[in-house]
Amino acid sequence: MSNDSPDRAGRNLPPLALHVPEPAFRPGDEADFLPVEVLAAGVTPRPDSAVDAGAMRDHAYGLVRVLDDEARAVGPWDPKLSPDLMRRMLRSMALTRAFDERMFRAQRQGKTSFYMKSTGEEAVAVAATYALERDDMCFPSYRQQGILIARDWPVVDMMNQIYSNRADRLKGRQLPIMYSTREGAFFSISGNLATQYPQAVGWAMASAAKGDTRIAATWCGEGSTAEGDFHSACMFATVYRAPVIMNIVNNQWAISSFAGFAGGESTTFAARAVGYGIAGLRVDGNDALAVYAATAWAVERARTNNGPTLIEHFTYRAEGHSTSDDPSAYRSADEATKWPLGDPIARLKAHLIGIGEWDEERHAAQDLELAEMIKAAQKEAEKNGILGHGMHQHFDTMFDDVFEELPWHLAEQRDQMRAERAAAGI
């Protein structure tokens, strides 16, 4: 080898090194979100929903906001909702929070094994759901219980699933909080991250192939965008212009790994859309009016055959990942209180008060009413049993809801088990 070969010349270079992402603050540090760029409300332009995706590049790096620092609705994204609709959204978010608090307490009391709260992220699910039609199919992750609550799904039914009791429509086959209801257009939650993304795109493609008018919406956390399923879904969505809305809930933490490990240090998560030729929006996820407006824009785009939209909801996970998690082990204790975009319930409440359509007295009365409603629902659900207090589903139910037509040999086994149970009087 020649002495002046590139290999020998390169030996004067420093050794290669890897960059390992590191959060800005850890336990014991004081949280400081000053470096987080928060655009002023109303400055992000609102294009026509039929615009070419290539013209949307700046929106993937901006921030759609409607409510300003004084809780006024400003700018081109203001959806100009009626006070009645905003009060209903506020109520659904408050009910979601009351439900979370009660079920969290139930888990701590040993009545169920597991729970995940959505505190601080209620607008992401609730406001988006109000912008969808009731029969548009939702493919959620595990922190979008607000979808069912916004669709007036009975909370007793949700609690029955959490308790895996004898009234559980899923017959104890799913982990607590992994709801599923075809009637509620709510697809089965999966504990395997991002599986719902290709499912949502496939469902949307099928809806279009059949000439239906229903669209699909799906949600995942920012950490899940590193999964292969996410990227496969984006490819199919853009190629076939599937009528689907793909929501990324960027709440800054994927369990104990901060957003940088999914690429959040280098760019926004909405920027994932740019490379795939998908319309991308980055939205203030704690602004219910902005979430509604962005979703409504994406709904119109999907329903008029202009293709998918990817929405990054910039928000913050105020609680632990789940009841199995201790966030104090990996993040600053005061992060939640210093998050610059505030609380979605407080912000919408302040807006309604500001326009003379709400007041503190009515809000306090509503909180009390909802707490009592959830308490009564819990008592009703617990009449059907709680997790760990015996077997609530008989063994012969293992054959139910598995096959469209149960094979004869399995039907024979099921009937034998039922006969034996009847003979035993159980």
Side-chain angles (χ1 to χ4, degrees), residues 42 65 117 122 222 342 362 380 397 425:
R65 301 184 70 204
K117 298 172 76 173
E122 292 90 352
E222 84 285 343
R362 277 189 284 179
E380 187 66 27
T397 62

Side-chain angles (χ1 to χ4, degrees), residues 148-168:
L148 287 172
I149 287 175
R151 286 182 167 172
D152 303 314
W153 195 256
V155 292
V156 172
D157 187 75
M158 297 169 68
M159 292 175 179
N160 286 334
Q161 194 281 322
I162 291 168
Y163 290 141
S164 299
N165 60 30
R166 61 178 173 270
D168 176 13

Side-chain angles (χ1 to χ4, degrees), residues 52-311:
D52 183 85
M56 295 286 295
R57 186 183 184 281
D58 289 346
H59 287 77
Y61 300 94
L63 194 66
V64 174
R65 301 184 70 204
V66 172
L67 294 175
D68 66 12
D69 294 340
E70 283 73 46
R72 297 172 300 196
V74 299
W77 285 94
D78 179 6
K80 302 189 185 303
L81 302 181
S82 68
D84 181 61
L85 179 53
M86 287 190 285
R87 281 190 292 264
R88 284 162 50 204
M89 287 169 53
L90 180 66
R91 181 182 178 85
S92 292
M93 288 196 292
L95 180 56
T96 302
R97 187 166 294 184
F99 180 84
D100 279 352
E101 291 295 335
R102 177 63 59 169
M103 291 296 95
F104 179 89
R105 193 179 311 164
Q107 190 277 336
R108 291 298 193 240
Q109 293 170 340
K111 296 177 178 179
T112 186
S113 60
F114 184 75
Y115 193 73
M116 302 181 79
K117 298 172 76 173
S118 62
T119 308
E121 301 176 40
E122 292 90 352
V124 171
V126 170
T129 302
Y130 274 93
L132 294 162
E133 294 294 332
R134 289 281 180 130
D135 58 353
D136 287 333
M137 194 67 180
C138 292
F139 292 78
S141 182
Y142 39 59
R143 216 182 298 276
Q144 280 80 57
Q145 51 267 49
I147 297 172
L148 287 172
I149 287 175
R151 286 182 167 172
D152 303 314
W153 195 256
V155 292
V156 172
D157 187 75
M158 297 169 68
M159 292 175 179
N160 286 334
Q161 194 281 322
I162 291 168
Y163 290 141
S164 299
N165 60 30
R166 61 178 173 270
D168 176 13
R169 65 172 51 242
L170 304 183
K171 298 180 172 63
R173 297 172 181 170
Q174 271 277 39
L175 284 170
I177 64 90
M178 294 190 178
Y179 319 101
S180 175
T181 164
R182 184 172 185 174
E183 300 87 345
F186 189 96
F187 198 80
S188 304
I189 295 176
S190 171
N192 297 317
L193 302 181
T195 57
Q196 67 273 22
Y197 254 64
Q199 292 164 348
V201 173
W203 190 97
M205 290 170 61
S207 183
K210 292 187 296 186
D212 203 344
T213 59
R214 295 176 296 166
I215 65 172
T218 185
W219 288 257
C220 77
E222 84 285 343
S224 298
T225 64
E227 296 284 339
D229 280 348
F230 171 86
H231 296 279
S232 296
C234 287
M235 179 59 71
F236 274 88
T238 190
V239 168
Y240 295 99
R241 295 186 184 175
V244 62
I245 302 169
M246 299 181 286
N247 298 282
I248 300 172
V249 186
N250 178 11
N251 62 16
Q252 315 306 311
W253 290 94
I255 309 183
S256 58
S257 298
F258 90 113
F261 281 102
E265 273 188 344
S266 304
T267 187
T268 69
F269 290 97
R272 302 282 192 274
V274 176
Y276 286 105
I278 295 173
L281 292 171
R282 189 164 174 263
V283 179
D284 178 350
N286 289 21
D287 178 347
L289 298 188
V291 172
Y292 180 98
T295 306
W297 185 93
V299 166
E300 183 177 327
R301 183 175 180 85
R303 231 183 285 281
T304 53
N305 293 311
N306 284 294
T309 303
L310 188 149
I311 303 175

Side-chain angles (χ1 to χ4, degrees), residues 365-393:
Q366 177 176 270
D367 279 346
L368 180 60
E369 175 203 351
L370 297 179
E372 291 299 320
M373 179 194 305
I374 292 296
K375 183 178 179 181
Q378 182 185 25
K379 288 182 178 179
E380 187 66 27
E382 289 179 2
K383 291 178 183 178
N384 299 312
I386 59 176
L387 189 66
H389 284 197
M391 187 175 71
H392 299 296
Q393 304 290 337

Side-chain angles (χ1 to χ4, degrees), residues 344-415:
I345 294 177
R347 289 175 67 186
L348 185 56
K349 179 186 80 168
H351 173 66
L352 281 164
I353 292 175
I355 62 174
E357 293 290 344
W358 198 239
D359 55 59
E360 293 287 358
E361 291 74 19
R362 277 189 284 179
H363 193 82
Q366 177 176 270
D367 279 346
L368 180 60
E369 175 203 351
L370 297 179
E372 291 299 320
M373 179 194 305
I374 292 296
K375 183 178 179 181
Q378 182 185 25
K379 288 182 178 179
E380 187 66 27
E382 289 179 2
K383 291 178 183 178
N384 299 312
I386 59 176
L387 189 66
H389 284 197
M391 187 175 71
H392 299 296
Q393 304 290 337
H394 292 291
F395 282 124
D396 54 69
T397 62
M398 73 173 72
F399 301 101
D400 297 342
D401 308 321
V402 178
F403 297 92
E404 184 175 6
E405 293 184 14
L406 191 64
W408 69 267
H409 65 290
L410 294 181
E412 190 176 81
Q413 294 177 43
R414 178 200 60 193
D415 294 342

Side-chain angles (χ1 to χ4, degrees), residues 1 5-11:
M1 181 181 291
S5 69
D7 284 345
R8 291 186 63 83
R11 292 180 182 178

